[in-house]
Amino acid sequence: AQSVTQPDIHITVSEGASLELRCNYSYGATPYLFWYVQSPGQGLQLLLKYFSGDTLVQGIKGFEAEFKRSQSSFNLRKPSVHWSDAAEYFCAVATGTGFQKLVFGTGTRLLVSP
Amino acid sequence: DTEVTQTPKHLVMGMTNKKSLKCEQHMGHRAMYWYKQKAKKPPELMFVYSYEKLSINESVPSRFSPECPNSSLLNLHLHALQPEDSALYLCASSQELAPIYEQYFGPGTRLTVT
């Protein structure tokens, strides 16, 4: 079954610095990949998704992600982090019959220092 | 309007109680989901409804009973829960049951079982 791994539990970034959150997937074919963000006490919000085509995907809030088949990765990036970006970030993959189910990675908590 | 509402926000119940969680959306979405999220863990899919019919049950114990009375409403009936069932219960909806359609999440109901 498809799965995703997020190797970083916590990351601290200074405000204004660039950000990269790592996500690795396991699947032989092209997976359906997603990045979600969850602020404290909130539900999840979709930042971006990749199904096929251009490997650099633009999302909301200034985020982008790059699909790299050779590295089985789908890393999330932002050029300049704002304090409001502090949250939990989940990478996810669609799996199951018809790819109808989302399976989430363990998440990376982003802390933003002043 | 891209809002999914969930009530109540918080719920404390004893192991012999019966309670229900409610989820509502008015986006015309035909797929609705229940997820369970334990503290510091990713969301885990429990149930999926498509066109008001149960499409996916992730082998959830029978003390959790979902119901989709109409296309806008999703309930989760709880009975004889265990303390380990304490978690954040998230509802989501999407236009159809397919990965190309974004899932919109509600803020969740935080359940404590005493």
Side-chain angles (χ1 to χ4, degrees):
Chain A
Q2 298 92 319
S3 65
V4 288
T5 303
Q6 293 180 250
D8 303 307
I9 298 174
H10 297 103
I11 282 187
T12 300
V13 175
S14 298
E15 190 168 16
S18 63
L19 168 70
E20 182 168 28
L21 302 182
R22 296 184 291 165
C23 173
N24 295 101
Y25 68 88
S26 65
Y27 185 54
T30 300
Y32 297 131
L33 294 166
F34 308 79
W35 274 101
Y36 281 84
V37 62
Q38 185 176 31
S39 297
Q42 302 289 320
L44 282 76
Q45 183 181 25
L46 179 67
L47 291 174
L48 47 80
K49 60 188 177 187
Y50 174 77
F51 292 160
S52 63
D54 192 348
T55 56
L56 187 61
V57 181
Q58 300 298 320
I60 63 171
K61 304 185 180 190
F63 286 93
E64 66 178 25
E66 186 169 12
F67 174 73
K68 291 186 177 180
R69 185 186 300 280
S70 61
Q71 298 177 19
S72 298
S73 69
F74 187 57
N75 294 347
L76 183 70
R77 302 193 296 242
K78 187 169 184 178
S80 178
V81 168
H82 188 262
W83 64 267
S84 60
D85 293 323
E88 188 87 22
Y89 291 80
F90 292 100
C91 182
V93 63
T95 183
T97 304
F99 301 98
Q100 296 174 345
K101 301 191 293 187
L102 277 183
V103 172
F104 291 87
T106 50
T108 297
R109 176 157 296 277
L110 174 64
L111 306 172
V112 180
S113 61
Chain B
D1 181 13
T2 57
E3 189 179 21
V4 175
T5 59
Q6 291 188 242
T7 54
K9 288 192 186 332
H10 301 275
L11 178 63
V12 179
M13 60 185 291
M15 290 189 286
T16 58
N17 291 159
K18 284 186 181 181
K19 297 287 185 182
S20 296
L21 309 185
K22 179 181 172 182
C23 172
E24 203 160 4
Q25 56 87 15
H26 296 287
M27 296 178 277
H29 289 176
R30 304 315 300 264
M32 296 187 77
Y33 312 74
W34 279 116
Y35 289 85
K36 174 181 178 179
Q37 186 177 23
K38 300 280 282 182
K40 300 188 188 303
K41 297 290 187 183
E44 294 180 342
L45 184 65
M46 299 174 71
F47 303 103
V48 182
Y49 274 81
S50 178
Y51 286 83
E52 299 151 52
K53 293 198 182 329
L54 185 63
S55 181
I56 297 174
N57 177 345
E58 289 289 274
S59 302
V60 179
S62 60
R63 57 185 184 269
F64 295 90
S65 176
E67 178 196 21
C68 189
N70 60 59
S71 60
S72 300
L73 190 56
L74 185 66
N75 297 320
L76 185 63
H77 303 298
L78 314 172
H79 173 54
L81 294 193
Q82 304 297 309
E84 59 265 28
D85 297 321
S86 298
L88 182 68
Y89 288 84
L90 294 164
C91 174
S93 71
S94 62
Q95 186 173 333
E96 300 273 349
L97 183 52
I100 64 168
Y101 297 108
E102 176 178 351
Q103 291 188 29
Y104 292 85
F105 283 80
T109 293
R110 188 160 301 280
L111 174 68
T112 303
V113 181
T114 61

